Amino acid sequence: MERLLITGAGGSLGRVCRDRLTHLARVIRVSDLSDLGPAAPHEEVVACDLSDKSGVEALVAGCDGIVHLGGQSVEAPWDVVRDANIEGVVNLYEAARKASVAPRIAFASSNHAIGFYNQSQRLDANAPTRPDSLYGVSKVFGEALASMYHDKFGIETALIRIGSCFPEPRTHRMLSTWLSHDDFVRLLERIFTVRRLGCPVIYGASDNSSSWWDNREVAYIGWRPEDNAEVFRERLDAEIAPPGPRDAEALYQGGRFCSDGIHED
Amino acid sequence: MERLLITGAGGSLGRVCRDRLTHLARVIRVSDLSDLGPAAPHEEVVACDLSDKSGVEALVAGCDGIVHLGGQSVEAPWDVVRDANIEGVVNLYEAARKASVAPRIAFASSNHAIGFYNQSQRLDANAPTRPDSLYGVSKVFGEALASMYHDKFGIETALIRIGSCFPEPRTHRMLSTWLSHDDFVRLLERIFTVRRLGCPVIYGASDNSSSWWDNREVAYIGWRPEDNAEVFRERLDAEIAPPGPRDAEALYQGGRFCSDGIHED
Amino acid sequence: MERLLITGAGGSLGRVCRDRLTHLARVIRVSDLSDLGPAAPHEEVVACDLSDKSGVEALVAGCDGIVHLGGQSVEAPWDVVRDANIEGVVNLYEAARKASVAPRIAFASSNHAIGFYNQSQRLDANAPTRPDSLYGVSKVFGEALASMYHDKFGIETALIRIGSCFPEPRTHRMLSTWLSHDDFVRLLERIFTVRRLGCPVIYGASDNSSSWWDNREVAYIGWRPEDNAEVFRERLDAEIAPPGPRDAEALYQGGRFCSDGIHED
Amino acid sequence: MERLLITGAGGSLGRVCRDRLTHLARVIRVSDLSDLGPAAPHEEVVACDLSDKSGVEALVAGCDGIVHLGGQSVEAPWDVVRDANIEGVVNLYEAARKASVAPRIAFASSNHAIGFYNQSQRLDANAPTRPDSLYGVSKVFGEALASMYHDKFGIETALIRIGSCFPEPRTHRMLSTWLSHDDFVRLLERIFTVRRLGCPVIYGASDNSSSWWDNREVAYIGWRPEDNAEVFRERLDAEIAPPGPRDAEALYQGGRFCSDGIHED
Amino acid sequence: MERLLITGAGGSLGRVCRDRLTHLARVIRVSDLSDLGPAAPHEEVVACDLSDKSGVEALVAGCDGIVHLGGQSVEAPWDVVRDANIEGVVNLYEAARKASVAPRIAFASSNHAIGFYNQSQRLDANAPTRPDSLYGVSKVFGEALASMYHDKFGIETALIRIGSCFPEPRTHRMLSTWLSHDDFVRLLERIFTVRRLGCPVIYGASDNSSSWWDNREVAYIGWRPEDNAEVFRERLDAEIAPPGPRDAEALYQGGRFCSDGIHED
Amino acid sequence: MERLLITGAGGSLGRVCRDRLTHLARVIRVSDLSDLGPAAPHEEVVACDLSDKSGVEALVAGCDGIVHLGGQSVEAPWDVVRDANIEGVVNLYEAARKASVAPRIAFASSNHAIGFYNQSQRLDANAPTRPDSLYGVSKVFGEALASMYHDKFGIETALIRIGSCFPEPRTHRMLSTWLSHDDFVRLLERIFTVRRLGCPVIYGASDNSSSWWDNREVAYIGWRPEDNAEVFRERLDAEIAPPGPRDAEALYQGGRFCSDGIHED
């Protein structure tokens, strides 16, 4: 690629991408609301609020790839979710539609789009959504918007329902949802090099023994996660108490998001 | 029911409901942005803009049933869609959550939530959404929000993907999508009398010979549409030209919504 | 047929069969623990306790068809269920295996073999069983035994999961589960005249609007129920209170069987 | 349509079509190897051997619709099957490809393309083929060829797996497979008037109570068969002996085709 | 766990469990009809006949986990099967229900619950049962009973359809059904440590190349078998003759159980 | 086996088989139209044109296994395809039927039998065929013929839909379709040693990361491919240009076969 845009580049996943996707494009354009520090020689740093329509248009122009990590990444009051994840995503896709070259997009969706499924249920890409929060609903919106821009305008998006992307699993639930940084980077490599992407739903989780999700339908992407949260089980057992059997953390795929109430302003 | 709220009561479907659902509740509360004329003895008329959070809260209070027809019902510029169908629906469900008695809701979703499926494809309630417009995406949002309020707060909603609800089918595509007023009224009767509703997806179409949709999964509702658009075929053939075989009207379930562009402000 | 055996002929379904299946065989052999009155000219009356192995052997000998209604037909203490529905069914199939001509069997299984499914779920013949009582478990046993005798010895059985077979539906739940006497008789006619029966699961319910069950897989039998519990809805609404939305009667396909405890001796 | 070609117009189905499809086109072109008698004013009579490539090219030219009934319609020695149903169908599709306007084709496939399924199995359009004869294999070939010409050249074909199309059912097996002449004509009307046809598999059987086949996937065609072989059951029972339970006629959907050997030259 | 009960502890699998599950609980209570030798310091030895209701009640009291291997493990006369596997299992679940703390149960079901499937068929947890023997029917009974106690009383059970659990595969059929002792132990570890178990069907087989069974649906358990019967193929080929292609051993998943007759007393 | 016939032994796959299947039978009979050189001590060399019926009969006589690689292996004018792949395969199966011992057959079918599926679609053995060429249609014919000879005469065939069997992948599409020679040989070993084969569809591809095909249904064969085209990706990227995103090579599973026209004579 000529230019890869990383939104939300100041967040934890954004920093991973900024560091490790440099081989995917000649120029890496990084963006966030927060300070991103100085640009490296191969970088462009662009501050942008995703709810600013014309700002996003400028941000996207000239990029043939986008890793969209920006926006709100956990539950929040409705206004916050809406501005970042509804308005912001509309702005992003409108900008992509208007760009001279349509960029390919890796969209950070979330397991919270299907969070109310039971942990004993096996899901593939065709499972109807069951969001667990306003945040989860906003991710369903983003997936639907991307689907429409694909069917109507040919813009390709990988809808990555990220589980829990951290250096290591932090809770017992993450033994099922963990996505290692290495596997995430390998997934993004595949997304930007596969000849035809389409608009697939991909569960963003490593090859965890206790998996709930089945990526068989998208094997054509060629992504084979290599890590497994299981190697951290003993340490987790030693360090933290597991959830009680009736806690949302033990019942639902979305964990505590399912028991949290609406965040009032 | 004690009190049934009909939003969008000034629209064409709203007028049908205002006239014909009087047997379902002691009081019918009708609401719209437009003038609804004087209230009948069994009616309450409440003007309300759905994007007005506290107004919606007052509107919903005291209602044990809601037929939600309000909002934007065709493609429009994003701001219009967002205010009516995103903000408005969030306000509605927040008001329902805060009400002393949770109302049961019949939500007017749309075939445009799955409009990009081919007309030769058979869909049931589990088909992944494929919206065809910003309007269609807003309906996916509404369905997802309702699903979350059901899983999390127990609010029951019928997600009716209305095809084309008119006195008679107006286009050849409507031979497949037509929903007669009688069948629509019968459906609402079932929705408000079935013991347990849950949050099912229901395709709102009559018993048309050329159907694309399969309501088998929700037979428990007990709704059996009785009309069939087929009886209008000859008249349609005589009166209007059918779409060309490569027109969106002949290709996609959502018809011309699939070929329309984004409505710029 | 030469001789059709009806077990449990003294019960309410048994009396229906005794009266209305006379055209299916030259001789009707009726059996029960209770007094069956005098035999009509075309009848043989044989008293028999199903837990009596040699008695059952004599009962079955010479019959080319069996309508097996005998045994325990509601929840009961384990000993009662076991003797009638476990021991009794083993005796029946062993007798059938040893008979010179293997009889075809219509086995009165029950909706309580799948009673713990939610009323919003649609079941076909392949749904895994979810019994709701010791009685329901005994019916799963009977179905499994019949399946084995079919695979191993070629004995054909129709596994009829009878809903609620009464002159009229008696509760709101029966609007979904009702099987009219006429439809039941028509089903038995088809079972004993179809060229090849195999060992199919058939849901024994009329063509009720509010159905939970799908007999599509066994259309080859040629049974099309003609009655519909819906015509009784108004009368039911007028006469009895519907169950509360959290009652087992409104939640589960098996109704109150799902909330009843174990019957201690 | 301007001109509808009926091949095999001298056969029994051909005569039905010649008589009853006159409203579908301005000109009906009829063809067969056998003498077809004089042409009616709206007709063109063209003798043609389907294995004659250039003859078929001339036959097809100028036709915008084809009902392809020609060829071998029961099991026969390989040479006969090959010339009529392999070579003949290749000639037909090559002629269609080369025509200035691609005709829409109704292809008389056969239940013998899936004849080895058991009579207790329920099939829809996606069931893998299981032919029961060289004839059945030739029909699988024709379906595959039509599929390729659709995917590659846009030629639309209805693949009608005809059951048993006679004035009345003649055997007990036909209680399941019968297609009335009226239903066949109604099906052809739908095939030539539906806006988009594609290349669907359609089971050609009336609305028989004892059905094995499910056309739900092709409801978009708008065909609803109205006849039912069941009304002939009593007469059949009175007039002919049913097959024994181990006869191919009672075991397999293809009936005796499944027990017949290969026809040696 | 505080106390893990192992029934059938004197059998071959029971001895494996007695030796190798000591890390799962503070106390291991072992039980059998046969002599179990002296108790180790961490053990309690309790003799018990499973058909003795009050004996079983005492046996189960105080146990928070049960590995239920007791009962009849191959085909036998009906009385033997009934007392051990019907009566015995009812006693076990009644005891579990009455216990102050409901134990979690690993139930040794069997491949003979689905033995009549062909060896070329692929099964997952939702396949309808097809037992091959009275023994197999008794295992279907046990699974159904466990399902009911889970739905009704919340008792969790792993329904392990054990293939062939031996140190090494002994027949060619076991190349598909073999469960190594190591994999069995790892499975039990997962069953007793997973946060929520539910009542899943698990096929108890190692990671054999020639597998018939698919545990994908229960990946949430986190069990990944590591052994593969394939490594024994050459030795088996050298040592014993394979079954003929028409032997039950080569045809059915249940092997010779499918060809054995009923064991008369 | 006593004698294994390899047809098409002069082609590239034929030579692999001739060299590496010597352990499968006492005698290897090799056949082709082209010169096969001198016979090795364990070999019989028989020249044969597959369209010569009696020649094929002699060729097949005395063989208990056949690897059928002969015939036309890419698109060609119809006459060529017909003689080699229609006529030739009928001759082969007729010869097999007439042989004193029915041989087991490994039939080289092709991915071009399903070539018109999109590269983002996941196929298993039950996917309806979608051939991409006359060649592909001829392979559907061969599969259907084999299925009929299995159902009717008990002849077992493995229908191997070979992807791209070369020493190394030669195009980017082959990263998905590649079948290594080693994996092909291992597959043939399994086909000729599994106790019961039946007539399964097997996708002939290695364990490629970017796979489109799912052999889960035929796991009972016991074949586990070990190679992965992924290891050649970097070299391919360096050596050849990938196809454009709208090329048939990037769109369809059958690649350029989907865009090629009919080969006129």
Side-chain angles (χ1 to χ4, degrees), chain A residues 78 82 87 90 94 97 116 130-134 137 141 144 148 151-153 257-258 260 262 264, chain B residues 78 82 87 90 94 97 116 130-134 137 141 144 148 151-153 257-258 260 262 264:
Chain A
W78 165 243
R82 182 198 56 209
E87 201 71 21
V90 170
E94 274 294 271
R97 177 176 72 85
F116 256 114
R130 286 188 73 174
D132 58 18
S133 52
L134 292 173
V137 173
F141 175 89
M148 192 265 280
D151 279 332
K152 207 162 200 163
F153 305 111
F257 278 58
C258 295
D260 283 359
I262 300 294
E264 312 267 352
Chain B
W78 165 243
R82 180 198 58 208
E87 200 72 20
V90 169
E94 274 294 272
R97 177 176 73 85
F116 256 114
R130 285 187 73 174
D132 57 19
S133 50
L134 292 172
V137 173
F141 175 89
M148 191 266 278
D151 279 333
K152 205 160 200 164
F153 304 111
F257 279 58
C258 294
D260 283 359
I262 298 293
E264 310 268 351

Side-chain angles (χ1 to χ4, degrees), chain A residues 9-63:
Chain A
S12 65
L13 286 194
R15 285 192 301 268
V16 170
C17 291
R18 186 179 184 180
D19 287 352
R20 299 184 52 184
L21 299 182
T22 53
H23 58 304
L24 288 184
R26 200 181 58 79
V27 178
I28 305 292
R29 179 179 289 176
V30 290
S31 170
D32 207 304
L33 276 172
S34 62
D35 181 34
L36 289 167
H42 66 282
E43 286 185 334
E44 296 168 356
V45 173
V46 181
C48 182
D49 182 334
L50 292 169
S51 63
D52 167 12
K53 187 174 169 178
S54 58
V56 172
E57 217 165 294
L59 181 68
V60 164
C63 298

Side-chain angles (χ1 to χ4, degrees), chain F residues 171-236:
Chain F
T171 66
H172 283 81
R173 175 177 157 270
M174 290 190 196
L175 291 170
S176 294
T177 61
W178 186 58
L179 173 63
S180 75
H181 286 172
D182 285 356
D183 280 334
F184 184 46
V185 166
R186 279 187 284 261
L187 171 57
L188 291 167
E189 287 171 349
R190 295 302 308 132
I191 286 168
F192 286 106
T193 53
V194 69
R195 194 66 17 210
R196 297 272 300 183
L197 177 63
C199 191
V201 167
I202 305 168
Y203 290 96
S206 286
D207 182 34
N208 304 320
S209 292
S210 299
S211 178
W212 307 321
W213 304 324
D214 191 333
N215 275 324
R216 198 162 29 103
E217 295 292 324
V218 288
Y220 72 95
I221 300 290
W223 179 52
R224 291 200 172 166
E226 299 175 16
D227 296 314
N228 186 341
E230 197 67 20
V231 301
F232 298 99
R233 184 185 290 274
E234 274 189 43
R235 191 191 315 170
L236 267 177

Side-chain angles (χ1 to χ4, degrees), chain B:
Chain B
M1 287 183 286
E2 170 61 24
R3 183 177 285 103
L4 176 67
L5 167 65
I6 300 170
T7 69
S12 64
L13 286 195
R15 285 190 301 270
V16 170
C17 291
R18 187 179 182 180
D19 286 351
R20 300 184 53 184
L21 299 181
T22 54
H23 58 302
L24 289 183
R26 200 181 58 79
V27 179
I28 305 292
R29 180 179 288 176
V30 290
S31 170
D32 208 304
L33 274 172
S34 62
D35 182 33
L36 289 167
H42 67 279
E43 286 185 336
E44 296 168 357
V45 172
V46 181
C48 182
D49 181 334
L50 293 169
S51 63
D52 166 12
K53 186 174 172 180
S54 59
V56 173
E57 216 165 295
L59 180 67
V60 164
C63 299
D64 36 10
I66 303 175
V67 178
H68 181 55
L69 304 168
Q72 178 63 21
S73 66
V74 292
E75 185 60 325
W78 165 243
D79 289 0
V80 176
V81 171
R82 180 198 58 208
D83 289 352
N85 292 6
I86 303 283
E87 200 72 20
V89 176
V90 169
N91 286 340
L92 187 83
Y93 277 86
E94 274 294 272
R97 177 176 73 85
K98 292 172 178 167
S100 51
V101 175
R104 178 174 287 186
I105 301 174
F107 175 72
S109 182
S110 166
N111 70 84
H112 297 291
I114 47 83
F116 256 114
Y117 280 99
N118 204 295
Q119 292 188 4
S120 62
Q121 288 179 283
R122 181 83 170 169
L123 305 189
D124 67 17
N126 296 316
T129 57
R130 285 187 73 174
D132 57 19
S133 50
L134 292 172
Y135 166 68
V137 173
S138 78
K139 289 302 179 183
V140 175
F141 175 89
E143 294 188 1
L145 194 79
S147 162
M148 191 266 278
Y149 275 81
H150 178 247
D151 279 333
K152 205 160 200 164
F153 304 111
I155 295 173
E156 296 187 308
T157 301
L159 303 165
I160 314 172
R161 291 184 183 160
I162 296 176
S164 308
C165 196
F166 296 105
E168 296 184 5
R170 299 173 170 185
T171 67
H172 282 82
R173 174 176 158 271
M174 291 190 195
L175 291 170
S176 295
T177 60
W178 185 57
L179 173 64
S180 75
H181 286 172
D182 285 356
D183 279 334
F184 184 46
V185 166
R186 280 187 283 262
L187 172 56
L188 291 167
E189 287 170 350
R190 296 302 309 134
I191 286 168
F192 287 105
T193 54
V194 70
R195 195 66 16 209
R196 296 273 301 184
L197 176 63
C199 191
V201 167
I202 304 168
Y203 290 96
S206 285
D207 182 32
N208 304 320
S209 293
S210 299
S211 179
W212 307 323
W213 303 324
D214 192 332
N215 275 325
R216 198 162 29 103
E217 294 292 323
V218 288
Y220 72 95
I221 300 290
W223 179 53
R224 290 201 175 167
E226 299 175 16
D227 296 314
N228 186 340
E230 197 65 20
V231 301
F232 300 98
R233 184 185 290 274
E234 275 188 42
R235 189 189 319 169
L236 267 177
D237 282 345
E239 290 178 2
I240 63 171
R246 298 190 180 285
D247 282 6
E249 279 284 299
L251 281 170
Y252 298 114
Q253 300 195 358
R256 66 180 168 76
F257 279 58
C258 294
S259 52
D260 283 359
I262 298 293
H263 293 217
E264 310 268 351
D265 309 71

